[in-house]
Amino acid sequence: MKEKGMTEKRKNGQIPEAINHILDTVKEIFAQEPQVYETFKNCYTNTLDTAVHHMKDNTVYIVTGDIPAMWLRDSAASLRPYLIPAKEDKEIADILVGAAQRQAAYICIDPYANAFNAEPNGNCWEKDETEMNDWLWERKYEVDSLCYPIQFAYLIWKNTGRTDQFTRSFAEAAWKILTVFRTEQYHEEKSGYRFTRRNTYYTDTLSRDGKGPLAKQGIGMTWSGFRPSDDACTYGYLIPSNMFAVVVLGYLEEIARDVLKIPDMAREAAVLKEEIYEGIEKYGITRKEGFGEVYAYEADGFGEFNLMDDANVPSLLSMDYLGYRGRSREVAENTRRMILSETNPFYYKGEKAAGIGSPHTPAGYIWHIALCMRGLTAQTAEKKRQMIMLAVSTDGGKNLMHEGFCADDDTKYTREWFTWANAMFSELVMDYCGYKIEKETHVSCGMTE
């Protein structure tokens, strides 16, 4: 890896002018709450300071924080707040495009992998029983890992006008994504994907000799082995990830039609989008006493549902943020009420905060990502501000966000350095201050708090 450009400037203490404008605005708006500004400044500059690595092939490698690997999901989410200054700053835009190009190259190597090495050095999380190669840090198949790179490339286009992320490798990666999503509609019959991790927790490996949870075939939705937490799915159809797939397939349809000029890809994306959407609306909804009809977190197509939500995005809480709109606004609102209550087994209340955590972290630990997502999907500025202040007051005195923190004592937390959480807080503060990321809004579900 080599360092140059923006990273070198940051090492010399230079903050890009486009970012300085944002910092000045936040400082002015939160003049009476200086800790908000200090935390925002730390979080917002942290990724540029620590996670961005320029590669010899002019792509950009993004570490996820305290783990020296590049996750497709985390790298896209961590860079998302820089879409705003990238409108004015070419060097920031170059970082985004370089990361998108590297994501596409990784998908071409293996669309079933979730995390990759900077080079083919054989480093990995564990010696898992799956089709590994020296580029792969981990090969947990997650639908969202293929959604994020499409979303990221699309948002770069819409926010900066850049299209050089749509390379030949991007087109190849897009075809691979379509093929995988199509194959995994029939996981039981057509998929060769297997994953086994020995001597570990059951959430870190797949059942049935690595084949994973049994799901009904051909119902529209596409199967996922793991959640965006990297935990194994209980049931094979992860509803929030399928919702995300619907949205990004719409993006891919537009990219293929208007940029890549590949009509067959546009048609395939459109057809697959409709099939997955129909599957969600038919098989992803159930009834919960006290709430009415709600979206499940997971389903198997046979009638079994997992009613919960997880802090990691995509989540049910993030439907509006992602841009998914189902047929019934009432179902979406019922779902939000359910998951923001103790009916959700991972909703915790304590002396410091109340919010959504994850089975990925200890019981009673709330995630900053979920607090920020609640703010980003709130319909009022007052609620957004409330979530900002709650996040700042639960940072454990570090002026940075963490993964999970104890609801009773925020000095007890997981992960000292987590770029995704820092990015979510940054985006929430910017959203409150009027900095909006350009995206398609006509598919927003429009839920209220």
Side-chain angles (χ1 to χ4, degrees):
M1 290 186 286
K2 64 178 181 177
E3 309 287 345
K4 68 175 186 179
M6 186 63 63
T7 306
E8 193 61 45
K9 285 183 179 181
R10 292 293 300 124
K11 284 182 176 179
N12 293 331
Q14 299 177 33
I15 297 177
E17 193 62 28
I19 289 180
N20 262 326
H21 287 158
I22 295 170
L23 292 173
D24 289 344
T25 299
V26 172
K27 188 174 185 178
E28 179 180 354
I29 290 175
F30 287 96
Q32 302 304 312
E33 297 91 5
Q35 189 182 354
V36 173
Y37 170 73
E38 290 301 325
T39 304
F40 173 76
K41 183 178 180 180
N42 286 343
C43 288
Y44 197 40
T45 58
N46 180 266
T47 297
L48 291 182
D49 284 342
T50 60
V52 174
H53 299 277
H54 294 263
M55 310 302 287
K56 293 179 181 179
D57 62 358
N58 293 320
T59 64
V60 174
Y61 185 79
I62 307 293
V63 297
T64 191
D66 50 10
I67 304 174
M70 180 167 168
W71 265 256
L72 294 174
R73 168 186 57 252
D74 295 48
S75 58
S78 297
L79 291 177
R80 182 178 167 113
Y82 301 104
L83 288 163
I84 300 296
K87 297 176 182 181
E88 302 175 13
D89 192 304
K90 181 180 181 299
E91 288 190 55
I92 297 176
D94 286 344
I95 290 173
L96 307 188
V97 170
Q101 290 174 346
R102 178 154 282 257
Q103 289 171 342
Y106 282 150
I107 293 169
C108 291
I109 291 170
D110 188 346
Y112 281 95
N114 58 321
F116 296 80
N117 295 313
E119 54 191 26
N121 53 31
N123 293 339
C124 60
W125 182 265
E126 290 283 352
K127 298 293 184 181
D128 300 313
E129 296 175 18
T130 186
E131 295 180 17
M132 294 291 290
N133 67 61
D134 288 345
W135 280 102
L136 309 188
W137 174 266
E138 193 171 54
R139 194 173 185 258
K140 288 181 173 179
Y141 174 60
E142 303 158 357
V143 166
D144 71 278
S145 289
L146 298 181
C147 293
Y148 270 101
I150 296 175
Q151 181 205 49
F152 186 51
Y154 179 86
L155 292 179
I156 294 171
W157 174 30
K158 293 299 177 179
N159 284 272
T160 71
R162 295 277 290 265
T163 58
D164 45 332
Q165 68 273 25
F166 299 124
T167 61
R168 183 177 299 177
S169 289
F170 179 91
E172 181 184 345
W175 278 121
K176 286 181 178 291
I177 291 169
L178 291 169
T179 298
V180 169
F181 282 175
R182 179 68 73 191
T183 298
E184 297 303 330
Q185 288 178 310
Y186 299 87
H187 175 74
E188 197 68 19
E189 301 169 7
K190 297 182 179 180
S191 176
Y193 175 75
R194 303 290 184 271
F195 182 95
T196 299
R197 179 171 291 172
R198 301 293 180 184
N199 303 314
T200 190
Y201 299 104
Y202 74 94
T203 56
D204 232 11
T205 189
L206 294 184
S207 59
R208 298 195 303 145
D209 293 324
K211 196 169 186 177
L214 178 65
K216 188 174 183 179
Q217 305 293 282
I219 65 169
M221 285 188 285
T222 189
W223 180 94
S224 190
F226 293 87
R227 301 168 179 170
S229 62
D230 297 332
D231 292 341
C233 292
T234 299
Y235 300 120
Y237 295 123
L238 183 54
I239 307 303
S241 289
N242 274 269
M243 291 173 170
F244 197 11
V246 169
V247 175
V248 301
L249 286 168
Y251 292 165
L252 182 57
E253 180 185 2
E254 186 178 348
I255 293 166
R257 183 186 66 238
D258 297 344
V259 182
L260 297 176
K261 309 296 185 182
I262 307 177
D264 288 350
M265 180 184 291
R267 283 191 291 271
E268 173 63 8
V271 170
L272 191 54
K273 174 185 68 176
E274 292 301 321
E275 291 178 4
I276 295 174
Y277 180 83
E278 292 297 325
I280 293 169
E281 296 300 310
K282 183 175 181 180
Y283 292 95
I285 297 172
T286 186
R287 296 191 65 85
K288 177 62 179 176
E289 185 177 356
F291 297 94
E293 287 194 326
V294 296
Y295 288 108
Y297 184 72
E298 293 167 337
D300 67 356
F302 294 115
E304 296 294 327
F305 300 95
N306 186 6
L307 296 183
M308 58 165 278
D309 202 22
D310 188 290
N312 288 270
V313 182
S315 58
L316 292 173
L317 184 63
S318 67
M319 275 189 280
D320 189 47
Y321 175 82
L322 297 174
Y324 181 83
R325 184 178 64 188
R327 289 200 176 96
S328 169
R329 177 176 177 175
E330 182 180 2
V331 173
E333 291 177 341
N334 292 346
T335 304
R336 188 178 179 92
R337 287 192 299 111
M338 179 185 71
I339 61 179
L340 290 175
S341 77
E342 290 176 286
T343 300
N344 174 9
F346 302 103
Y347 183 84
Y348 303 115
K349 291 183 177 180
E351 293 183 7
K352 293 290 293 187
I356 297 174
S358 171
H360 193 69
T361 48
Y365 275 54
I366 296 166
W367 281 44
H368 281 122
I369 285 176
L371 293 181
C372 294
M373 183 55 66
R374 187 172 181 180
L376 282 162
T377 54
Q379 298 300 303
T380 66
E382 179 183 4
K383 190 64 181 182
K384 291 177 186 293
R385 189 182 186 94
Q386 180 183 339
M387 290 298 108
I388 291 170
M389 301 311 298
L390 184 56
V392 168
S393 69
T394 54
D395 70 348
K398 300 296 185 180
N399 282 349
L400 288 169
M401 297 295 105
H402 299 113
E403 183 185 53
F405 65 90
C406 178
D408 292 315
D409 182 1
D410 61 300
T411 64
K412 299 176 180 178
Y413 55 81
T414 60
R415 299 192 69 171
E416 188 79 29
W417 174 26
F418 192 30
T419 56
W420 189 6
N422 290 332
M424 291 299 301
F425 176 75
S426 299
E427 187 175 349
L428 173 58
V429 172
M430 291 167 68
D431 179 87
Y432 178 82
C433 293
Y435 293 102
K436 307 292 184 180
I437 293 172
E438 298 291 336
K439 59 180 180 177
E440 294 298 308
T441 57
H442 65 274
V443 293
S444 172
C445 59
M447 292 183 291
T448 57
E449 183 63 14

